[in-house]
Amino acid sequence: MSKGTLGVWRAGAVAVAAAAAALVAGLVLGGSVTEKVIPGLGDPGALTRWGLPASRAAMNLLSALTVGALLAAAALLPVEGGRGAARLSADAVRYVGAASWLAAGWAAAAAATLVLTVADVLGQPVQEVVTGSELSSYVGSLPQGTALMLVVLLAVVVALMARTTTTPAAAFGLLATAGIALLPAPLTGHSASAANHAVATTGVALHVAAVAPWVGGLAVLAVHAMLRRDKLPVMAERFSRMALWCFIVVGASGMVNVIARLPDPVELVETNYGRLALGKIIAFGALGWFGWWHRNRTLPALAERKPMAFTRFATVETVVMAATMGLAVALARTAPPPPDAPESAVKALLGYDMPPEVTPVRLATLWQFDLFFAVLVIVLGGLYLAAVVRLRRRGDAWPLGRTAAWFVGLLSIVIVTQTGVAKYAPILFSVHMAQHMVLNMLTPIFLVVGAPVTLALRALKPARIRGDRGPREWLTAILHSRYSTVIAHPAVATIIFVVSIFALYFTPLFEAAMRNHLGHIAMMVHFLAAGSLFFWVLLGVDPAPKKLPYPGRLLLLFVTMPFHAFFGIALMNMSQALARGWYAAVDPPWGTTVLHDQHTGGAIAWAFGEIPTFIVLLFLGFQWYTDDQRQARRQDRKADRAAQPGGRPEDDELAAYNARLAKLAERDRAAEQGTTGQKTTEQKTTEQGKRT
């Protein structure tokens, strides 16, 4: 065993020991393993009390390492082979292979967590759960059981697929799959039952999505340094840029989670949950100091070919991160302080109390903060502005109309997700339908006209290393991929745009999405994505695999829009309410009947289609006119170049066309003259015959 390999094992053992020590201390201080067993109630036993947090900590660490290994292979290490035959480097292939084993361990830890979770919920020892029928019967009925089963399945997929992965696209696909597998388990914990579970759930999702690449990426980077492999300065620089954003996201989402569970700051020191949260905040501050030191000291040392300074420092930081993750597991096993007053049934479902009777003024003034869409709007607006500023600094122009259209689209998202519309949408189907129509048929028009892909292609810089793939190269590869060719086909985009509405509302999917905050977010994101895809085909300024001619676009518009009217008419004629269980549970005392409100929502869907149709016609007419003008100017320039000395006359299409017409006319005249001469000869012969 080499010295570098021995150092890796030694550092790994220290990190595991630090995580275990922080976990044990947190469990003891939080009181989750010292609770009294009440006679008459089920006791899962000491194995479950200690084994469940241990298996969850192992699951979290292995998941972060899996994500880190795939991140190093797909993004941190340069790609080889160039644009035509891109392939992973030898080190990247090794990390993908390591990710396969790590994902297998992740799946095993998730399976152990599943068994122990069922034992903990039922209050039975593990032996009885494993030998009885409880495990199979409760996995599907418990949200935690379903979530952990998804984690096991996705981790197994990553473990199997990573065995044969050698291309950058496949590595990114595995990275995305591993990222999805991170979310189910933490989103079924305290966040799903917090007082403001909408904000808490989104905060936890952002927190986990930022922690895993940060922790796992640093661990793999430290391993790379200890093994003295190539491209360490490149990896460290790329990781440093990513880690800064991870640090910001982790800090902001962690603060949101703490506020959602501990609205009173005094609870940070007066409750077990608060004290553990305070310890995690201190550890987070220490990690921020490590990051600052990296950017100012160790990265310059790497540039000067002094890798040992970075190696030692990164190893210590990895140990601190592991301890922080152990503390986080202990925090997840500690119950937050209960609310002062019991929650109503409506607040337990919505996350807030029943609002007063709906009025236009309250729709505009009763703001409801939605963390997911707030972050989405801030990110999309910030990236767009940053790209425009980069173009302006470079001396390039960007149309003001496109910028205005983009921000009008973002403003419409804010209006329907942050105002009273968002507060009343889960309660009244009519308000929900108005929200749906805006996100599906109005917002995408302005976002597509804003041409974000074209802006990104112009603003992003090519990869520094020749043959590597940076953001610009990845975006180009996605646009030219087979997936984009299929999904952006006009027929496919139209089917998704039309059929998904009927498939959602006329199946149990709608009620399931309304009962779960993540399902509700997924539903609205689907509305936005499906509309953006359809209007990209219809109005898109951005490059697309297949562009329709303008008459075809008009035909597609007039063929598609009536389906929304048919959908609205179907809702207006229904005699049974959709999602009856949900709307009966949140039925407001000041509202009308659920069926009457549904008919109102159908009328909104029926009438709303006229607005986007009119707007699309305006944009299509303007685009058609400007395209004709552009073509005319292009032909004029070609004619001017052809008329210049040394120009090629055949480049002047109009002159060539006129010359072709003149040649055809000359040919017709020659043919006519020949015919006339032949007729004259025949006439002379006939006259001579008569005289004879």
Side-chain angles (χ1 to χ4, degrees):
M1 183 180 294
S2 65
K3 183 178 180 181
T5 305
L6 183 62
V8 170
W9 284 105
R10 187 185 299 114
V14 173
V16 170
L23 175 64
V24 171
L27 292 174
V28 173
L29 294 176
S32 60
V33 294
T34 57
E35 296 178 351
K36 293 183 178 180
V37 178
I38 301 177
L41 296 181
D43 179 21
L47 177 61
T48 300
R49 282 194 295 272
W50 288 98
L52 180 56
S55 64
R56 188 173 289 274
M59 183 179 71
N60 292 347
L61 287 172
L62 288 168
S63 64
L65 292 175
T66 303
V67 170
L70 293 173
L71 179 69
L76 299 184
L77 282 167
V79 175
E80 296 180 352
R83 181 182 300 180
R87 65 179 185 274
L88 298 175
S89 64
D91 286 335
V93 172
R94 292 191 189 97
Y95 288 133
V96 172
S100 175
W101 292 104
L102 292 168
W106 180 10
T113 305
L114 173 60
V115 174
L116 293 168
T117 298
V118 174
D120 185 57
V121 172
L122 297 180
Q124 296 180 1
V126 177
Q127 297 83 351
E128 297 181 9
V129 171
V130 174
T131 57
S133 60
E134 290 83 358
L135 184 61
S136 59
S137 60
Y138 276 88
V139 165
S141 58
L142 289 174
Q144 298 92 332
T146 305
L148 289 169
M149 182 57 67
L150 285 174
V151 174
V152 172
L153 293 176
L154 291 174
V156 168
V157 168
V158 173
L160 294 177
M161 298 297 292
R163 308 293 293 179
T164 57
T165 296
T166 57
T167 63
F172 256 109
L174 291 178
L175 179 61
T177 304
I180 295 172
L182 292 170
L183 300 178
L187 293 181
T188 53
H190 295 317
S191 60
S193 58
N196 192 354
H197 57 259
V199 175
T201 301
T202 305
V204 166
L206 292 173
H207 197 77
V208 172
V211 164
W214 186 19
V215 176
L218 179 65
V220 174
L221 195 61
V223 169
H224 197 88
M226 283 186 282
L227 295 178
R228 298 180 179 274
R229 290 178 176 169
D230 294 334
K231 307 297 183 182
L232 179 60
V234 176
M235 292 181 66
E237 183 185 1
R238 293 181 177 182
F239 174 78
S240 178
R241 291 199 300 267
M242 183 202 72
L244 175 61
W245 291 106
C246 289
F247 178 80
I248 295 173
V249 173
V250 169
S253 59
M255 187 62 65
V256 168
N257 292 329
V258 169
I259 294 175
R261 295 173 177 83
L262 303 174
D264 189 356
V266 178
E267 293 176 331
L268 280 172
V269 294
E270 291 184 351
T271 62
N272 292 334
Y273 187 89
R275 285 188 284 268
L276 289 179
L278 187 60
K280 190 179 175 183
I281 292 172
I282 294 173
F284 174 76
L287 291 175
W289 178 83
F290 275 104
W292 174 85
W293 188 274
H294 272 305
R295 294 181 69 87
N296 290 275
R297 299 293 181 88
T298 59
L299 289 183
L302 278 179
E304 297 174 0
R305 300 185 181 276
K306 298 178 180 178
M308 291 309 299
F310 171 83
T311 303
R312 290 190 294 267
F313 205 75
T315 303
V316 175
E317 186 180 3
T318 303
V319 171
V320 175
M321 279 187 169
T324 306
M325 293 189 72
L327 191 62
V329 173
L331 185 66
R333 288 290 297 166
T334 305
D340 297 332
E343 293 183 352
S344 63
V346 172
K347 188 173 183 180
L349 291 172
L350 300 176
Y352 52 88
D353 293 318
M354 177 67 69
E357 184 176 359
V358 61
T359 63
V361 175
R362 286 171 178 156
L363 285 174
T365 57
L366 287 182
W367 286 70
Q368 176 67 28
F369 179 68
D370 189 300
L371 179 60
F372 177 84
F373 285 100
V375 171
L376 180 67
V377 169
I378 291 172
V379 170
L380 293 179
L383 290 176
Y384 198 94
L385 277 180
V388 172
V389 169
R390 174 175 286 185
L391 286 183
R392 294 291 175 84
R393 288 178 177 175
R394 202 168 61 194
D396 295 336
W398 181 254
L400 183 61
R402 293 182 182 178
T403 304
W406 180 260
F407 282 95
V408 167
L410 295 184
L411 178 62
S412 65
I413 296 177
V414 172
I415 290 174
V416 297
T417 61
Q418 308 294 326
T419 63
V421 175
K423 186 178 286 289
Y424 287 97
I427 302 170
L428 297 174
F429 182 83
S430 56
V431 180
H432 164 81
M433 186 52 60
Q435 184 186 53
H436 169 188
M437 290 293 115
V438 171
L439 289 175
N440 187 235
M441 300 179 67
L442 191 62
T443 300
I445 296 175
F446 295 98
L447 294 182
V448 167
V449 172
V453 177
T454 302
L455 177 62
L457 290 174
R458 291 182 58 185
L460 290 172
K461 298 178 181 179
R464 296 181 181 179
I465 301 175
R466 186 176 180 84
D468 191 17
R469 281 187 178 180
R472 191 177 191 278
E473 288 76 16
W474 276 110
L475 182 57
T476 304
I478 292 172
L479 289 174
H480 291 88
S481 66
R482 186 177 303 174
Y483 172 79
S484 296
T485 303
V486 173
I487 201 72
H489 191 279
V492 176
T494 303
I495 290 173
I496 294 174
F497 184 65
V498 173
V499 174
S500 60
I501 299 177
F502 293 89
L504 173 68
Y505 285 100
F506 296 136
T507 63
L509 284 174
F510 177 56
E511 183 167 1
M514 295 299 291
R515 289 186 173 276
N516 185 278
H517 179 64
L518 287 179
H520 190 254
I521 289 178
M523 177 174 58
M524 293 196 291
V525 169
H526 172 75
F527 294 155
L528 186 61
S532 299
L533 179 62
F534 175 73
F535 289 109
W536 179 32
V537 173
L538 205 61
L539 288 173
V541 182
D542 292 325
K546 183 177 180 60
K547 281 188 176 290
L548 286 175
Y550 286 100
R553 299 184 190 189
L554 287 175
L555 179 62
L556 182 62
L557 174 66
F558 288 119
V559 168
T560 304
M561 285 305 175
F563 284 99
H564 283 79
F566 299 154
F567 169 70
I569 294 172
L571 289 177
M572 295 167 65
N573 291 327
M574 289 185 67
S575 59
Q576 298 291 331
L578 299 175
R580 183 186 305 174
W582 169 259
Y583 285 109
V586 297
D587 188 26
W590 39 261
T592 181
T593 63
V594 176
L595 190 59
H596 183 271
D597 184 62
Q598 179 178 305
H599 291 166
T600 304
I604 292 173
W606 172 71
F608 194 89
E610 304 295 332
I611 300 174
T613 301
F614 177 71
I615 296 174
V616 169
L617 285 175
L618 289 179
F619 280 122
L620 270 180
F622 178 76
Q623 289 180 354
W624 200 343
Y625 171 77
T626 55
D627 184 66
D628 285 343
Q629 294 296 315
R630 190 181 304 112
Q631 294 291 340
R633 289 193 298 269
R634 185 180 296 116
Q635 296 301 327
D636 291 342
R637 288 194 297 268
K638 290 180 67 176
D640 293 340
R641 288 195 300 268
Q644 292 176 357
R648 298 190 305 173
E650 60 270 18
D651 288 343
D652 188 350
E653 294 184 3
L654 181 59
Y657 179 70
N658 291 333
R660 189 162 53 251
L661 290 179
K663 186 180 295 184
L664 290 174
E666 182 67 26
R667 186 184 303 168
D668 292 340
R669 283 195 299 269
E672 185 177 352
Q673 290 175 358
T675 303
T676 303
Q678 183 179 0
K679 287 181 179 179
T680 303
T681 304
E682 290 176 353
Q683 289 175 358
K684 289 180 179 180
T685 305
T686 304
E687 290 177 357
Q688 289 177 357
K690 288 180 179 180
R691 286 196 298 268
T692 302

